[in-house]
Every structure is written in C-alpha cells, then in structure tokens.
Amino acid sequence: MFLPWTTVDRMKPFVRVLHPVLFQGVRAAGRYFEGWYFKQTSPGIGSEPARSLAFIPGITRSASGYSSFVQFIDGKTGATRYFGFSGEEFSYSDDPFEVRVGGNRFGFSGIHVELHDSDLEVRANLAYGEPTPIRTSILWPGVMGPYSFVPFMECYHGIGSLDHDVTGTVSLHYGSAPDPERILFDGGRGYIEKDWGRSMPSAWIWMQTNTFSPGAGLPCTTVPSCLSGLTSGRQSFFLSIARIPWLGSHFNGFLCVLYVNGTEYRFSTYTGATIRMLECDGAEIRVLLADRLHTLEVHARRNHEGTLAAPIQGAMERRISESADSCLHLVFREHDGDADTVRYTMESGSAAVEVVGPVETLHKRR
C-alpha cells in the first residue's frame, strides 16, 4: 500500500533504522530532506561506450512548506534537469520498497519514469535484478555503522544495492534534437543509495562505480592497468569523505565499500581505518585508505559535469556538480608481513564523482 508522507508511521522507529533504504521521514519534525539515487549504466556495445544515467527522487520540507522532485543526470553530456512536484505527489511503500513522485516509480524491482519540460522529455522503463545489499548487523544496520543510531546527525547515508542487473530502455528527447535517442540497458548494471536529514555537509568528496573494464579508467605507472584477480561476479566501489558537525565542532568522517567476488571490504572512521593521503587538484582526486589488513589507492579524474540541487535546511537551494562519466583507477593491496601484495587493480570509465565545498578542510582533523 502506498502512503503519503503525512501518514501515521506504524513501524517501530528502531525497525525503520535497521532498514535505511526505507522512507525515514515519517517521524521527522522541522526542516528535512530525503532523496534516493538510482544509477544505471548500459553495457556498451561495439564502439559505443557504456552510458550512465541517474535519477534522484526525493522530498523536502523547508520554511515554505514541503515539496517533492525528481532530478536527472546524463553522464554522456553532463546535462541535468530538476523536475518539481508538490508534496502531495510523493508517496512510499515499505513492502515492497518503492517511492513515487507523481506518476514516476522507483524501487528494488525497477523504475518507471515519464518526465518532461520545455527542453527535455525522459521516458524510462527499466527492470532490476536481485539487489546486492551491504553487510549489516544490529550494531551496523547500514553503511554508517553505529552512527546510524546517533539522533542529531546533520545528514545520514544509506546504500540500497551495491550492484544489480538492469534491463529495459530509456528514451531521451532533447529539444534541439529531431528525434528521441533510445538507450538499451539490457546487460547493464544498477546501483541504489540515499541521503536524508536537514542539510548535506559543508564539504565532501563522493565517488561510485559498479562497472569495470580494462583500459576504461586512468593509466597507472606502477600497477598494470587490468582487472587483475577478478572473476565475472559482481564488483562495486563507493567512497564518501565529508566534514561532519559534531557537538559544537567538526570531524572528517569517511565511508568506503569495495565489493569484489562476493566479498565486502569496508574502510571507515568507525572500523579504525585511516586516510593516509588525500589530494584534490582540479579534476584529479587521489586518496589512500588503510587499515591493519589492507590499503586502497584511489585515483579519479572528473569529466562532463552537470549541476544538481542539494538541500540546505530542507530547501533545495544549493547547487553542486556531479560527473557521471569520470575515470577511476583502484589498487587494492593486502598486507603480508612487511610487504604489500596487490590483490586487485580495477578501472572504470563511468564512475560518478562529486567534489563539493571547501575540500581543503577534509585534510584537517578539526
């Protein structure tokens, strides 16, 4: 059954926290936002490269009331659109999980989209395969681990699916084009995550991809550019580094998941991992993460960027940039006594990357 935002929540609050992908705003008071990120990447056929498209349905409550929206980004060109709806046009379902904005539907089983304005018409009918969840427990109900239970966080983050099959088509008709473009996603990959709270952080770096292929990303002079050690199973990578308000001060927190061959490797503030190196120079970003067992070297280069709306105290008034066709190179090493053994090297030419705000503060502890 689909319920409006204003409905009475019959699920116990603790149970809802254990399922971050579900709508969390039913008990929210004051200014608030919640948005889901549904990304799909086509397989690429012949000389045609992989194509990433992302949809962001959500709802906000600000000083002027509440409203809903769907944002769209085309990784090939960086073109973006914001489609606004009234708050009454948002509804949700817990079982099965799905959110609706107007006539647009988004869930674990797939998406149905019909959006248009004076410059663009988007129609999408995509079916999703079985989702790949992250590892969870009572103490780690989501990717935020124990921070999931802290009641005063400015922003929370959740992952719905690290990777899943995608089939179907998306039709894009830009105003200047004579005919619609039809993109086939059969054999493609999908990813789902979300954010909710009052505001996004003042500064953050975010990356994500679950499509890898040799030669698609950045060349590395010290490690061969290949999908070394991988099988044909699912692979996924996610990284977020953010400036987080905390009890009158701030700290730099980070979350990272590398999923390879059915095994999840997690680097995070709460796991005891550290950021040994962070460099952001124009379009280039380099990060080195480490814990007592592994290191993960990340090198990304942003490409076409589009402008998205982000929340400030529930109002979608902030403007940020995202590239959905960035290049990414990962090197994953395992500690072996005094030496490090390279387990995986992975490349992607369709990574999503955001670099927002004064990222130089992400180098500082306070």
Side-chain angles (χ1 to χ4, degrees):
M1 180 173 64
F2 282 86
L3 302 170
W5 186 13
T6 53
T7 192
V8 175
D9 182 19
R10 301 186 183 280
M11 181 181 289
K12 293 181 179 180
F14 181 76
V15 176
R16 193 168 287 280
V17 170
L18 295 179
H19 301 278
V21 73
L22 300 182
F23 180 53
Q24 302 291 314
V26 288
R27 294 178 181 269
R31 302 187 181 190
Y32 183 79
F33 80 93
E34 189 161 353
W36 292 259
Y37 181 86
F38 289 79
K39 179 189 173 191
Q40 32 275 314
T41 303
S42 68
I45 300 174
S47 60
E48 184 68 22
R51 178 85 166 267
S52 290
L53 304 176
F55 297 92
I56 308 172
I59 189 160
T60 69
R61 178 163 53 201
S62 64
S64 58
Y66 68 100
S67 60
S68 59
F69 61 87
V70 178
Q71 297 194 73
F72 167 76
I73 182 167
D74 182 348
K76 181 179 180 179
T77 62
T80 59
R81 291 293 188 280
Y82 183 98
F83 300 91
F85 295 82
S86 68
E88 289 80 5
E89 291 178 275
F90 174 89
S91 61
Y92 69 95
S93 169
D94 291 335
D95 187 16
F97 159 68
E98 193 170 286
V99 293
R100 294 186 178 186
V101 180
N104 305 284
R105 306 191 303 270
F106 306 85
F108 279 142
S109 62
I111 65 174
H112 171 79
V113 172
E114 294 185 9
L115 299 166
H116 63 88
D117 60 17
S118 59
D119 297 316
L120 173 65
E121 181 179 33
V122 185
R123 294 180 178 272
N125 283 288
L126 300 176
Y128 293 164
E130 189 71 20
T132 302
I134 64 168
R135 187 176 72 250
T136 62
S137 69
I138 293 296
L139 297 179
W140 288 14
V143 72
M144 291 186 66
Y147 287 97
S148 303
F149 299 105
V150 178
F152 52 80
M153 301 292 286
E154 178 185 52
C155 182
Y156 298 85
H157 190 84
I159 294 179
S161 177
L162 291 166
D163 181 78
H164 50 265
D165 298 330
V166 179
T167 59
T169 60
V170 176
S171 172
L172 304 178
H173 194 183
Y174 288 97
S176 58
D179 299 302
E181 178 184 11
R182 185 173 179 268
I183 306 165
L184 182 65
F185 280 86
D186 291 0
R189 313 309 307 165
Y191 173 83
I192 302 171
E193 68 167 48
K194 66 176 297 191
D195 293 286
W196 70 99
R198 298 185 307 277
S199 302
M200 295 292 284
S202 60
W204 74 84
I205 294 172
W206 172 84
M207 306 176 193
Q208 184 279 324
T209 188
N210 55 321
T211 54
F212 297 94
S213 59
L218 295 167
C220 180
T221 58
T222 59
V223 179
S225 178
C226 64
L227 287 171
S228 172
L230 300 184
T231 70
S232 59
R234 297 180 174 185
Q235 289 93 39
S236 187
F237 166 76
F238 152 82
L239 170 66
S240 177
I241 306 171
R243 189 77 165 156
I244 301 171
W246 186 263
L247 300 175
S249 185
H250 292 79
F251 73 93
N252 293 326
F254 68 98
L255 307 167
C256 179
V257 173
L258 177 66
Y259 184 86
V260 185
N261 296 347
T263 301
E264 177 190 313
Y265 304 94
R266 193 178 305 190
F267 298 83
S268 178
T269 308
Y270 60 82
T271 67
T274 59
I275 300 176
R276 290 188 178 176
M277 184 265 290
L278 172 60
E279 296 177 351
C280 187
D281 182 13
E284 305 275 336
I285 306 106
R286 292 179 175 84
V287 183
L288 180 61
L289 306 175
D291 59 22
R292 64 185 183 87
L293 298 177
H294 307 100
T295 61
L296 180 61
E297 176 185 332
V298 181
H299 180 195
R301 178 186 297 146
R302 290 178 286 169
N303 286 328
H304 298 97
E305 290 190 310
T307 301
L308 297 173
I312 301 177
Q313 293 296 314
M316 302 295 286
E317 296 177 348
R318 189 177 184 183
R319 297 295 176 264
I320 66 170
S321 296
E322 177 178 323
S323 169
D325 69 338
S326 294
C327 296
L328 182 70
H329 187 96
L330 304 176
V331 182
F332 179 75
R333 294 180 172 89
E334 186 173 71
H335 301 324
D336 184 12
D338 295 331
D340 286 344
T341 301
V342 175
R343 288 285 305 279
Y344 308 115
T345 62
M346 307 167 68
E347 290 192 336
S348 176
S350 53
V353 177
E354 295 175 357
V355 179
V356 179
V359 294
E360 65 275 6
T361 63
L362 300 178
H363 296 263
K364 304 174 183 177
R365 292 187 177 273
R366 293 287 180 183

